Amino acid sequence: MTARYATLCKGCWQQMHMPVPLSGVFAAPLRAFGIRRSKMNPNLCTICETMFERMMKARSVKLDATILFADLRSYTKLSQSMSSEAMVDLLDAFYDTCAAAIWRHDGLLNKTIGDAVMAVFNFPIRQADHARQAILAAREMQEGFVAKQVELAAAGSAFGVGIGIDTGKLSFGEYGRSHRDLTAIGPVVNTAARSQGAAKPGQILVTRAVYEAAQAEIGAGRAAEYDLKGFDAPVTLYEA
């Protein structure tokens, strides 16, 4: 199915009620000034990526947001049993499936890190239920990988994706001097990454903060204690 993207930037319209065209003849003059679709979310423009800097005159902004990490399991093992072309196709499918799910729920695909992705929800598009939107995106990802799991299992290869989610206060902005990196930092990011590391293939693990913010969506949510790297005490995580 061909993706259908917004013709106007959703972030600029929500934040400033400014109709910034992303396609068509009216978008052409803007591209001359570097204003085009964001690579982090094609329903946004490049203005939105640094809106905090343009509007608040700051290099970073503190906000309440949800962070999602998704990791392709058994990547090293798969690379030993599959051709390089097949691995490229697998990574492309992984990135495309994750991106589509994130963008459908107005998240920002902030990073692709080897065989993992990092997404931010509630910036720059504000969402009162950003924790729930992250869960819905995670579930769409897992559903999108079912066919590939069956295909690789039939070929004798294991495949799966582990997902971790946390929500709370964090900083988003540009960090570094010689090389500027636009990303989120803070304990929420670290906890989401460690939760993803604890997730089994096909599993979504969320923190207590996410569970409390989206309990109606998660339901009973089977909980367990996990010893996460870098944490002094076990952390309670819920299956979503």
Side-chain angles (χ1 to χ4, degrees), residues 84-180:
S84 58
E85 293 81 4
M87 284 305 300
V88 169
D89 290 342
L90 179 60
L91 272 179
D92 284 346
F94 170 70
Y95 289 146
D96 290 347
T97 300
C98 289
I102 291 164
W103 295 337
R104 268 194 294 270
H105 294 277
D106 287 334
L108 200 68
L109 179 54
N110 183 226
K111 298 288 181 188
T112 55
I113 315 160
D115 56 353
V117 300
M118 170 186 166
V120 182
F121 293 82
N122 204 35
F123 183 86
I125 299 176
R126 300 296 187 175
Q127 303 165 294
D129 62 342
H130 49 90
R132 175 176 176 269
Q133 294 302 321
I135 291 171
L136 294 176
R139 288 175 177 171
E140 282 191 24
M141 290 179 199
Q142 296 292 18
E143 291 170 3
F145 296 131
V146 170
K148 181 60 70 174
Q149 284 178 307
V150 173
E151 175 189 333
L152 290 176
S157 299
F159 169 79
V161 173
I163 299 176
I165 306 173
D166 191 19
T167 191
K169 297 292 183 182
L170 54 83
S171 295
F172 189 93
E174 284 192 321
Y175 301 95
R177 298 189 182 280
S178 60
H179 173 73
R180 288 196 172 188

Side-chain angles (χ1 to χ4, degrees), residues 43-57:
N43 296 311
L44 303 172
C45 73
T46 47
I47 292 176
C48 288
E49 294 177 357
T50 54
M51 185 177 292
F52 56 89
E53 186 174 359
R54 296 168 187 265
M55 301 296 292
M56 304 175 189
K57 306 303 180 183

Side-chain angles (χ1 to χ4, degrees), residues 7-8 19-37 45-46:
T7 56
L8 295 178
V20 175
L22 297 174
S23 61
V25 294
F26 295 108
L30 297 181
R31 287 196 289 272
F33 294 94
I35 302 172
R36 61 189 73 235
R37 287 190 189 274
C45 73
T46 47

